Amino acid sequence: MNFKELASEYKTPLYVYDLDYMSKQYQELKEAFRGRKSILAYAVKANSNLSVVKHFANLGSGADCVSIGEVRRAFLAGIPAYKIIFSGVGKSDDEIREAIEKDILYINVESEAELFRVAIIAKELNKISRISIRVNPNIDPQTHPYISTGLHDNKFGVDINTAKRMYIFSKNSDSLDPVGVHFHIGSQLTNLEPIYESAVIVADLVRSLEAIDIELKFFDIGGGLGITYDDEATIKPYDYAQAILGTLKGLDLTVICEPGRFLTANAGYFLTKVLYEKQNGAKKFVVVDGAMNDLLRPALYGAYHRIEAITDSASEPRTVDIVGPVCESGDFFAKDYLLPELNHNDLLVVHSAGAYGFGMGSNYNTRGRSAEVAVEKGQARLIRKRENFEDLIALEKEFLEN
Ligand SMILES: *Cc1c(COP(=O)(O)O)cnc(C)c1O
């Protein structure tokens, strides 16, 4: 990938996505489930650019969505309704209504109260809503607390007993069709054991439901597969799939997997240019043109991203903080990082930026969000324009007149 050329053509800050890498990741995971009916439902929130979602649609992917906006994106990108799932802990009435009207595969229900809302809304629409229930297996996923979702301390899903009660309610309701069970215990999982233990618990629930004549069709294992940001060992897709499938003996279920980060993170690069170097006491800073409003993960989670300098500088590496222009001390990409002396306009490439990068961006400090570029078979193309000042004020401007 010629980052220098891309930066000069599309300017910085810039997101670049390698679509071929995304395909490779998709195929590897899909292949791991071979021999069993399975759907990969791409977790749209990881990278929701329409061209990226369309790329997955072309590979046969479904979509896991966590807002009706994402559901609309999935439809626009060509994902068929029967492969679209709507998850999330706080769906509004309007969102539920639209999901039912659009006849998506199912709604992942995250609380008893939500189930009652879905039943009422489906009845109003004179429809039967397919649902799945998100179980919280109370297993520690051993990941960052902000991206852990499978403990009772977390807001997600319901405990097994509540889930059972909800399935019985659904079976007896004439506006609900319980078709699946769902769990998603966290993100950036690098340890297989918690996923396996969760699958065992949830598969047991499926068996106990069969015993009372509630037959599910979908076993939705969520996403969460970790990737290598630094030097982490990760879970091999094949081991992951086999561990899950091992818990489903005697059950005739389609496995649904909702990968996000695994498919896109290491396909993405964030390109930013060096503005200045400065020294505050003993501390050396490299100030770049990208900021936390472009890539929030370091500020939000203290996340590590590998950063590569493209420079003619031949100096020895020094320890620096790489920071953006935003008025927050949290606005950094790396702390105490080793880089050679850099010149104005040298390029830094932030790796593993294809998931939870652009999508978490904002317009803080009245900064337009970066452009996005896709590279496929050696060809680069723009897939989102850089936001300009007019874009940023478009929804406010008319109120100045008053
Ligand atoms: C975020 C999310 C995913 C994807 O998580 P990754 O760690 O990116 O794979 C899958 N399912 C649900 C319900 C999610 O909220």
Side-chain angles (χ1 to χ4, degrees), residues 81-125:
Y82 66 88
K83 286 187 186 172
I84 296 177
I85 299 161
F86 185 18
S87 309
V89 79
K91 305 174 195 77
S92 73
D93 286 3
D94 285 346
E95 289 184 308
I96 292 168
R97 191 170 300 117
E98 190 171 327
I100 296 172
E101 279 171 339
K102 285 194 150 86
D103 202 25
I104 62 169
L105 182 59
Y106 55 77
I107 296 176
N108 260 329
V109 176
E110 298 227 10
S111 66
E112 206 158 20
E114 186 190 20
L115 185 68
F116 299 153
R117 287 309 307 162
V118 175
I120 289 167
I121 294 167
K123 204 177 176 80
E124 281 167 9
L125 294 171

Side-chain angles (χ1 to χ4, degrees), residues 13-250:
L14 181 73
Y15 275 97
V16 177
Y17 308 126
D18 177 348
L19 299 190
D20 299 318
Y21 183 89
M22 293 184 190
S23 303
K24 181 176 92 52
Q25 293 295 93
Y26 180 90
Q27 303 298 4
E28 184 182 1
L29 190 53
K30 182 71 186 159
E31 188 67 17
F33 286 100
R34 200 158 62 153
R36 162 77 71 159
K37 282 172 289 178
S38 70
I39 298 176
L40 298 191
Y42 170 55
V44 172
K45 73 175 186 289
N47 184 328
S48 52
N49 183 290
L50 284 172
S51 299
V52 170
V53 183
K54 182 172 173 207
H55 183 70
F56 286 115
N58 291 343
L59 294 171
S61 182
D64 176 56
C65 305
V66 291
S67 72
I68 208 67
E70 286 189 357
V71 172
R72 290 181 188 181
R73 275 184 189 268
F75 271 97
L76 262 180
I79 299 208
Y82 66 88
K83 286 187 186 172
I84 296 177
I85 299 161
F86 185 18
S87 309
V89 79
K91 305 174 195 77
S92 73
D93 286 3
D94 285 346
E95 289 184 308
I96 292 168
R97 191 170 300 117
E98 190 171 327
I100 296 172
E101 279 171 339
K102 285 194 150 86
D103 202 25
I104 62 169
L105 182 59
Y106 55 77
I107 296 176
N108 260 329
V109 176
E110 298 227 10
S111 66
E112 206 158 20
E114 186 190 20
L115 185 68
F116 299 153
R117 287 309 307 162
V118 175
I120 289 167
I121 294 167
K123 204 177 176 80
E124 281 167 9
L125 294 171
N126 220 352
K127 296 224 171 176
I128 297 171
S129 178
R130 282 180 298 275
I131 59 112
S132 156
I133 292 170
R134 178 165 179 177
V135 173
N136 182 322
N138 200 25
I139 295 280
D140 184 352
Q142 298 159 20
T143 184
H144 190 287
Y146 282 16
I147 50 176
S148 154
T149 56
L151 282 167
H152 286 172
D153 281 356
N154 303 124
K155 66 181 174 180
F156 298 96
V158 299
D159 62 65
I160 293 281
N161 288 332
T162 308
K164 248 187 210 172
R165 202 161 65 232
M166 288 164 69
Y167 278 113
I168 292 166
F169 175 89
S170 304
K171 184 181 161 71
N172 293 331
S173 158
D174 51 15
S175 59
L176 297 174
D177 181 14
V179 295
V181 64
H182 174 233
F183 65 96
H184 171 74
I185 60 170
S187 198
Q188 184 54 15
L189 308 176
T190 51
N191 192 340
L192 185 52
E193 196 64 17
I195 308 176
Y196 172 75
E197 283 174 32
S198 302
V200 168
I201 291 171
V202 177
D204 281 347
L205 170 67
V206 173
R207 291 191 183 90
S208 74
L209 292 172
E210 285 200 344
I212 53 171
D213 270 346
I214 299 175
E215 298 256 357
L216 302 182
K217 298 188 186 77
F218 301 103
F219 192 77
D220 182 341
I221 61 174
L225 264 188
I227 60 124
T228 301
Y229 282 97
D230 187 3
D231 54 8
E232 306 93 319
T234 55
I235 303 165
K236 292 193 175 58
Y238 181 80
D239 296 344
Y240 171 67
Q242 294 310 307
I244 303 265
L245 297 182
T247 68
L248 298 182
K249 298 217 164 69

Side-chain angles (χ1 to χ4, degrees), residues 288-391:
V288 297
D289 65 356
M292 63 188 285
N293 78 293
D294 298 300
L295 177 62
L296 184 63
R297 298 186 69 258
L300 184 63
Y301 313 126
Y304 173 90
H305 284 266
R306 189 160 76 77
I307 297 175
E308 172 191 357
I310 299 183
T311 175
D312 297 330
S313 160
S315 90
E316 286 299 305
R318 315 129 319 145
T319 302
V320 298
D321 284 8
I322 303 159
V323 301
V326 162
C327 301
E328 301 279 342
S329 292
D331 181 26
F332 63 88
F333 291 123
K335 293 199 159 176
D336 300 324
Y337 204 83
L338 281 174
L339 286 180
E341 206 164 296
L342 297 169
N343 299 310
H344 186 69
N345 284 343
D346 276 350
L347 194 60
L348 294 186
V349 180
V350 181
H351 287 247
S352 311
Y356 308 106
F358 182 91
M360 279 192 182
S362 75
N363 295 123
Y364 189 40
N365 281 206
T366 305
R367 291 171 52 89
R369 282 176 295 177
S370 321
E372 293 175 289
V373 166
V375 178
E376 190 172 14
K377 302 197 172 64
Q379 291 292 106
R381 64 177 197 269
L382 189 66
I383 57 172
R384 193 180 203 272
K385 291 185 203 163
R386 182 176 304 286
E387 288 176 347
N388 63 28
F389 179 67
E390 285 302 319
D391 296 327

Side-chain angles (χ1 to χ4, degrees), residues 363 366 389-402:
N363 295 123
T366 305
F389 179 67
E390 285 302 319
D391 296 327
L392 300 193
I393 58 166
L395 304 178
E396 299 163 37
K397 213 168 146 192
E398 62 186 292
F399 302 108
L400 270 184
E401 318 305 325
N402 308 325

